Amino acid sequence: MVKKLKTNDKHINKLARLLTGPNAILYHKEDLLAYDCDGFTIHKHLPRAVVFPKNTEEVAKIVQYCAKHQLPFLARGAGTGLSGGATPLNNEVIISLVRMKKLISLDVENRRAVVEPGYINLKLTNSISDKGYYYAPDPSSQYACTIGGNVAENAGGAHCLKYGVTTNHILGLEVVLPNGEIIHLGNDGIPDTPGYDLIGLITGSEGTLGIVTKITVRILKNPEEKQTVLAYFDDVEDGSRAVSDIISTGIVPAAMEMMDKTAIEAVEAAAFPVGHPKDIEAVLLIEVDGISAGIEEQITDILNVCTSRNVREVKVAESEQERARWWANRKTGFGAMGAISPDYLVQDGVIPRSRLPEVLSRINQISEESGLRIANIFHAGDGNLHPLVLFDANKPGDTEKALEAGSACLKVCADVGGTITGEHGVGIEKIEEMRFVFSDSEINAQTEVREVFNPDNLLNAGKLFPSPGRCGEVKKAMKAVIS
Amino acid sequence: MVKKLKTNDKHINKLARLLTGPNAILYHKEDLLAYDCDGFTIHKHLPRAVVFPKNTEEVAKIVQYCAKHQLPFLARGAGTGLSGGATPLNNEVIISLVRMKKLISLDVENRRAVVEPGYINLKLTNSISDKGYYYAPDPSSQYACTIGGNVAENAGGAHCLKYGVTTNHILGLEVVLPNGEIIHLGNDGIPDTPGYDLIGLITGSEGTLGIVTKITVRILKNPEEKQTVLAYFDDVEDGSRAVSDIISTGIVPAAMEMMDKTAIEAVEAAAFPVGHPKDIEAVLLIEVDGISAGIEEQITDILNVCTSRNVREVKVAESEQERARWWANRKTGFGAMGAISPDYLVQDGVIPRSRLPEVLSRINQISEESGLRIANIFHAGDGNLHPLVLFDANKPGDTEKALEAGSACLKVCADVGGTITGEHGVGIEKIEEMRFVFSDSEINAQTEVREVFNPDNLLNAGKLFPSPGRCGEVKKAMKAVIS
């Protein structure tokens, strides 16, 4: 028998009856506080309730109930997103998928695995590494983030240079549509599937088209060997020329990461210092992987390129331990900002690789004009730049200045032919910046697609696309939070 | 001054005035005959007219006119498609893009090129090879097919095993929507773009969502070295186990092609025989490419795998000439069927690699039951199987039998967890087979997306998705053609 909950909200009582697990619904304000935002903490709002379905059927029932009673709702994974995609703007019922966390099946011969959306990214690699396989997309949050969330945001990672972002690794999806219908997309998905590429459409749609309840992913064979190079440059331009030169040799590194002087200061002050020189302008971390025989020659080519671009010092990791340390140093990059600044805002632009020196100098200008320091961490190989604007939320006006500086950085990226997000998504954060890269009719074409799937706009409304009304509301809401 | 055309069709006269080039419109029946189908020749129908716009603005004007006057229309490239995507079913105005064939710009440093849709696939590689670059997707028709057509069909090719199909190489699109509006999608597109993946949605949409008028493609650096292996097996199962074993070593060959005994008979009787043994059950053509240093070891691994799977004979190409000959032999595969059969029907299924022996034995059964020979050409690495049903259109009942056998082959592919097209598209040909892999609500989700872009269904109607009415009509029309 179902116990009546301690609330008079009839919808919450009804929703509770659709769920079978213990403690499958939260509705007390103190419980809901943990769900008032995701990793984009500037904007917060309480949900109506949080539900924890155990399987696809429960998700479908919840969605059908919400659709019938016109209750806004949205899906949430681990809440590590950086643009507010899982933040409730409309008192939503949050459908948390963390209890749907099974590895459903593994087919090593055909290189695929089927997982539930709450399955943690790194756990997949850990469960198959003894068989010699791994899952490629590796966002820095991979120890916590879920594969369902990765699909929603089309997550990337340091190694997406060679292996591609999430969308390149998704072979099939089970999706609960906003009307509660369950659909299946893709089979093995190789090399192409008939009909429209709805898998591609839903991947990266930031939770606005449906709720993914099962995911078939591609798994990859572990490379036979990896080698990692660290190179220090006195001039950022030399470093970025080296990046282009390496790509020009025909080598496709597994990863090619750059940090500037301010970022180096931060990571050296954080948990995993590696002893980067303090006066250096740029460090490059380059990894190559593959069949053993080819690796040595690639490393030689990379060292030669670095030398020709006036590298101050360059070295190859001598042990797996050293390699792991270099990566830990780099992967703590965002969090490390906490060591040198009370608050920071991560931005996420994409630029043509060759425009890096120009873009960095314009970002320096923005930093000077705003009076705020900006560190730069850069997936250099694929042109994905993360300016980190350092500020102090307790200092009046600083948050606004940081938001303005962040937006200005994205404008610079858009102006050189790049775009406003590489892997973090638009969410709430970059809604207005969508206008830097899309015309009204281009935005309309997209919102019309949303209407097909989500006609009543109950699912994750107010995200991803600007609309005159919503834009103003968000801006107002943000101002209210900031002031 | 505009000359009045020799027709009383007022729309043709009006359309002619929207075009500036010489002979920019065809409307005489004898001229239209060349446009009554594409490479899928079983179904033919005359268009109302064929127009040859010179630029995006002319395309937009034609489309606006058609939209205003509710005239059905569709776009056509080189007409090499194999599923009827460019065949007019509704007396369409065909918008031929062959005069829009410029290489607009080339940006070697950021690895991208911008082309018009009528630009020929192979021409791109030929124009950049002196700089050390190439364009990866290589359908067998690449000497004739256009990149615009490749985008519409999401074309593949022998080398898509390592490098991916067309959608993996498209960074941006300019599209004329069915209402005549021009939109721009993507920037450099790396690694992800904000908003929905409309580039992915339009790529492979078989000309039903819009007309692509400009394409930004990724170009790749030529590999430093290529090596090619030919291996003969007395048992198809051994050959297909070798394919799985090679993938399991961690090698990703650039291509891995298989032909069965009947296919071998055909290619040996055609333009480029290479002396394959006549009594062999399967030949594998395997190519590896990349940095020189790693190649030799990969070849050794491949030879070892073949030996362990009871290969009768295996050899490495000793010269570029020999390598080119082997590829010419393989790439003439479809056409070569003409040497052993008056007519043939190409099918295009996808299966999990590991199910190949089982699928081939079921295809043999279908062949026996239908009394028609079936040859098999197989992009083995990525599970894309092309059964070629041999028949004689002049023999009463043979065409119908061939269509039935082809459909039965696709059913087998769908039943083992595969799908009904790998790279040729659905078009007219596989409309009914879409039901093998999609439920009604999955098809509805897709046709609703089409309605957003193409609300009046003027653009390429009757393709890609079954609908009760249309399905019956096509079937009836097909029967009329066949009988």
Side-chain angles (χ1 to χ4, degrees):
Chain A
M1 225 195 75
V2 184
K3 250 194 352 209
K4 187 150 169 17
L5 302 180
K6 289 177 192 152
T7 169
N8 293 324
D9 183 328
K10 91 174 169 188
H11 291 311
I12 290 180
N13 278 288
K14 291 267 179 66
L15 285 168
R17 286 181 214 159
L18 303 174
L19 299 159
T20 58
N23 309 312
I25 188 162
L26 299 178
Y27 55 91
H28 289 303
K29 192 182 166 195
E30 59 274 25
D31 294 327
L32 298 180
L33 279 172
Y35 295 88
D36 66 358
C37 68
D38 61 12
F40 176 65
T41 57
I42 287 176
H43 195 61
K44 298 182 180 186
H45 207 293
L46 284 184
R48 179 178 202 135
V50 184
V51 296
F52 298 90
K54 275 201 323 187
N55 53 41
T56 304
E57 289 61 41
E58 290 189 11
V59 174
K61 280 184 198 163
I62 295 287
V63 170
Q64 281 155 14
Y65 185 89
C66 289
K68 187 170 167 195
H69 299 278
Q70 295 286 297
L71 308 181
F73 61 100
L74 62 82
R76 181 183 167 108
T80 55
L82 291 167
S83 54
T87 299
L89 284 175
N90 313 285
N91 196 31
E92 272 90 352
V93 173
I94 290 184
I95 301 175
S96 167
L97 298 160
V98 295
R99 290 193 186 167
M100 292 174 62
K101 57 178 179 184
K102 278 199 296 291
L103 172 61
I104 297 171
S105 69
L106 181 63
D107 176 359
V108 165
E109 195 167 8
N110 294 302
R111 304 253 176 126
R112 50 191 185 182
V114 182
V115 300
E116 289 187 321
Y119 196 71
I120 287 172
N121 175 301
L122 188 59
K123 213 170 155 187
L124 179 53
T125 291
N126 289 344
S127 349
I128 57 181
S129 63
D130 60 328
K131 296 180 181 67
Y133 290 84
Y134 75 110
Y135 176 60
D138 64 334
S140 295
S141 58
Q142 67 180 137
Y143 60 90
C145 64
T146 65
I147 293 182
N150 294 168
V151 170
E153 299 294 327
N154 191 16
H159 290 76
C160 67
L161 169 57
K162 181 167 179 179
Y163 295 104
V165 292
T166 298
T167 194
N168 303 114
H169 299 271
I170 304 302
L171 303 176
L173 293 177
E174 179 184 80
V175 184
V176 175
L177 295 178
N179 62 4
E181 223 175 323
I182 302 168
I183 63 169
H184 296 87
L185 302 171
N187 272 286
D188 57 319
I190 302 167
D192 184 17
T193 48
Y196 297 140
D197 180 13
L198 295 192
I199 295 181
L201 185 68
I202 285 170
T203 305
S205 64
E206 306 194 10
T208 63
L209 300 182
I211 299 180
V212 167
T213 48
K214 211 172 280 175
I215 305 148
T216 306
V217 299
R218 185 196 314 280
I219 56 173
L220 299 180
K221 182 91 178 164
N222 283 336
E224 201 173 275
E225 195 179 331
K226 283 181 197 173
Q227 291 270 14
T228 310
V229 172
L230 204 59
Y232 297 114
F233 293 88
D234 289 305
D235 182 330
V236 171
E237 179 144 2
D238 278 332
S240 56
R241 290 286 153 216
V243 169
S244 290
D245 289 355
I246 288 166
I247 298 277
S248 297
T249 63
I251 299 170
V252 182
M256 188 145 51
E257 300 285 302
M258 188 189 266
M259 293 188 285
D260 73 357
K261 197 171 186 173
T262 309
I264 293 170
E265 180 189 335
V267 294
E268 286 299 293
F272 303 103
V274 303
H276 299 312
K278 289 205 164 129
D279 60 336
I280 209 75
E281 292 295 328
V283 57
L284 269 186
L285 180 64
I286 306 160
E287 188 158 281
V288 289
D289 67 12
I291 304 282
S292 297
I295 299 286
E296 213 47 57
E297 186 172 289
Q298 293 181 47
I299 291 291
T300 308
D301 285 351
I302 289 169
L303 299 182
N304 288 341
V305 164
C306 290
T307 306
S308 78
R309 290 298 180 184
N310 312 310
V311 71
R312 185 200 291 188
E313 189 193 342
V314 59
K315 53 190 176 182
V316 181
E318 286 178 5
S319 64
E320 176 53 31
Q321 221 174 358
E322 189 170 28
R323 188 192 151 268
R325 183 96 187 170
W326 291 356
W327 272 113
N329 174 271
R330 158 62 191 87
K331 286 213 172 182
T332 54
F334 294 176
M337 297 303 145
I340 62 167
S341 172
D343 296 284
Y344 64 93
L345 178 77
V346 187
Q347 273 307 354
D348 176 38
V350 180
I351 56 171
R353 265 190 306 269
S354 63
R355 308 294 290 271
L356 179 62
E358 172 190 351
V359 167
L360 286 181
S361 105
R362 288 172 68 182
I363 289 178
N364 275 339
Q365 256 182 321
I366 293 167
S367 166
E368 275 168 31
E369 283 162 20
S370 67
L372 299 174
R373 294 178 76 192
I374 303 182
N376 288 288
I377 293 185
F378 190 48
H379 300 311
D382 48 24
N384 187 194
L385 180 65
H386 294 305
L388 294 130
V389 185
L390 310 184
F391 69 102
D392 182 351
N394 289 323
K395 215 166 128 188
D398 240 26
T399 307
E400 263 179 329
K401 264 194 245 168
L403 286 168
E404 268 166 36
S407 179
C409 291
L410 295 184
K411 186 79 173 66
V412 170
C413 295
D415 287 347
V416 299
T419 187
I420 60 159
T421 173
E423 53 185 16
H424 296 172
V426 174
I428 308 170
E429 187 194 19
K430 304 185 197 83
I431 280 192
E432 300 203 39
E433 285 77 11
M434 287 289 270
R435 299 194 189 276
F436 295 167
V437 288
F438 290 117
S439 69
D440 279 350
S441 62
E442 287 155 2
I443 289 169
N444 284 346
Q446 301 187 70
T447 51
E448 283 176 19
V449 169
R450 180 176 62 193
E451 275 165 32
V452 166
F453 287 84
N454 189 8
D456 301 333
N457 208 14
L458 293 173
L459 174 58
N460 216 3
K463 308 288 174 72
L464 195 49
F465 300 110
S467 67
R470 172 57 57 198
C471 222
E473 280 172 48
V474 171
K475 210 166 177 178
K476 211 161 56 185
M478 267 199 177
K479 285 236 160 111
V481 169
I482 291 163
S483 59
Chain B
M1 223 192 79
V2 183
K3 252 198 344 213
K4 190 157 170 9
L5 302 180
K6 289 175 192 155
T7 170
N8 292 325
D9 183 329
K10 94 175 165 183
H11 291 310
I12 290 181
N13 278 290
K14 290 267 178 69
L15 286 168
R17 287 183 213 159
L18 302 174
L19 299 158
T20 58
N23 309 313
I25 188 162
L26 298 177
Y27 54 91
H28 289 303
K29 193 182 166 194
E30 61 273 25
D31 293 328
L32 298 180
L33 279 172
Y35 295 87
D36 66 358
C37 69
D38 60 13
F40 176 65
T41 57
I42 288 178
H43 195 60
K44 296 182 181 186
H45 208 294
L46 284 184
R48 179 179 202 135
V50 184
V51 296
F52 298 90
K54 275 200 325 188
N55 52 42
T56 304
E57 288 62 41
E58 289 189 11
V59 174
K61 279 184 200 165
I62 295 287
V63 170
Q64 282 156 13
Y65 185 90
C66 289
K68 188 171 166 195
H69 299 278
Q70 295 286 298
L71 308 181
F73 61 99
L74 62 80
R76 180 183 169 109
T80 55
L82 290 166
S83 55
T87 299
L89 285 176
N90 313 286
N91 195 29
E92 272 90 351
V93 174
I94 291 185
I95 301 175
S96 166
L97 297 161
V98 295
R99 291 195 186 165
M100 292 174 62
K101 58 177 180 184
K102 278 198 296 291
L103 171 61
I104 297 171
S105 69
L106 181 64
D107 176 359
V108 165
E109 194 166 9
N110 293 303
R111 303 256 175 124
R112 51 192 184 182
V114 182
V115 300
E116 289 187 320
Y119 195 72
I120 287 173
N121 175 300
L122 188 59
K123 213 169 153 187
L124 179 53
T125 292
N126 289 345
S127 349
I128 58 181
S129 64
D130 61 329
K131 295 181 182 67
Y133 290 84
Y134 75 110
Y135 176 61
D138 65 334
S140 295
S141 58
Q142 68 181 135
Y143 59 90
C145 66
T146 64
I147 294 182
N150 295 169
V151 170
E153 299 294 327
N154 191 16
H159 290 76
C160 68
L161 169 57
K162 181 166 179 180
Y163 295 104
V165 292
T166 299
T167 194
N168 302 114
H169 299 271
I170 304 301
L171 304 177
L173 293 177
E174 178 185 81
V175 184
V176 175
L177 296 178
N179 63 5
E181 223 174 325
I182 302 167
I183 63 169
H184 296 87
L185 302 170
N187 273 286
D188 57 319
I190 303 167
D192 184 18
T193 47
Y196 298 141
D197 180 13
L198 295 192
I199 294 181
L201 186 68
I202 286 171
T203 304
S205 64
E206 305 195 10
T208 63
L209 299 182
I211 300 180
V212 167
T213 47
K214 212 173 279 175
I215 305 148
T216 306
V217 299
R218 187 195 314 279
I219 56 174
L220 299 181
K221 181 91 179 164
N222 283 336
E224 201 173 275
E225 195 179 330
K226 285 181 195 172
Q227 290 269 15
T228 311
V229 172
L230 203 59
Y232 297 114
F233 294 88
D234 289 306
D235 183 329
V236 171
E237 179 144 2
D238 277 333
S240 59
R241 290 284 154 220
V243 168
S244 288
D245 289 355
I246 288 167
I247 298 277
S248 295
T249 62
I251 298 172
V252 182
M256 188 145 51
E257 300 285 303
M258 187 189 267
M259 293 188 285
D260 74 357
K261 198 173 186 169
T262 309
I264 293 170
E265 180 190 334
V267 294
E268 286 298 293
F272 303 103
V274 303
H276 298 313
K278 289 206 163 128
D279 61 335
I280 208 76
E281 291 296 328
V283 56
L284 269 186
L285 180 64
I286 306 159
E287 188 158 281
V288 289
D289 68 11
I291 303 282
S292 298
I295 300 287
E296 213 47 58
E297 186 172 288
Q298 293 182 47
I299 291 293
T300 308
D301 285 351
I302 288 168
L303 298 180
N304 288 340
V305 165
C306 290
T307 305
S308 78
R309 290 297 181 185
N310 312 311
V311 72
R312 187 200 290 187
E313 188 193 343
V314 59
K315 53 189 176 184
V316 181
E318 286 177 4
S319 64
E320 176 53 32
Q321 221 174 358
E322 189 170 27
R323 188 192 151 268
R325 183 96 187 171
W326 292 355
W327 273 113
N329 175 271
R330 159 62 192 88
K331 286 213 171 181
T332 54
F334 294 176
M337 297 303 146
I340 62 167
S341 172
D343 296 285
Y344 64 93
L345 177 77
V346 187
Q347 273 306 355
D348 175 40
V350 181
I351 57 171
R353 263 190 308 268
S354 63
R355 309 294 289 271
L356 180 62
E358 173 190 351
V359 168
L360 286 181
S361 106
R362 287 172 69 184
I363 289 178
N364 275 340
Q365 257 181 323
I366 293 167
S367 166
E368 275 167 33
E369 283 162 20
S370 67
L372 299 175
R373 297 177 74 193
I374 303 182
N376 288 288
I377 293 186
F378 191 47
H379 300 311
D382 48 24
N384 186 194
L385 180 65
H386 295 305
L388 294 131
V389 184
L390 309 184
F391 70 102
D392 181 350
N394 288 325
K395 215 165 128 186
D398 239 28
T399 307
E400 262 179 330
K401 266 195 245 168
L403 286 169
E404 269 166 34
S407 179
C409 290
L410 295 184
K411 187 78 173 68
V412 170
C413 294
D415 286 348
V416 298
T419 190
I420 60 158
T421 174
E423 52 185 17
H424 297 172
V426 175
I428 307 171
E429 186 194 19
K430 306 185 196 81
I431 280 192
E432 301 202 38
E433 285 75 11
M434 287 289 270
R435 298 195 190 277
F436 295 168
V437 288
F438 290 116
S439 70
D440 280 350
S441 62
E442 286 155 2
I443 289 169
N444 285 346
Q446 301 186 68
T447 51
E448 283 175 19
V449 170
R450 180 176 60 191
E451 275 164 34
V452 166
F453 287 84
N454 189 8
D456 301 333
N457 207 15
L458 294 174
L459 175 58
N460 216 4
K463 308 290 174 71
L464 195 49
F465 299 110
S467 68
R470 171 60 55 198
C471 222
E473 280 172 50
V474 172
K475 210 168 178 176
K476 212 163 53 187
M478 268 198 177
K479 285 236 160 108
V481 170
I482 291 164
S483 59

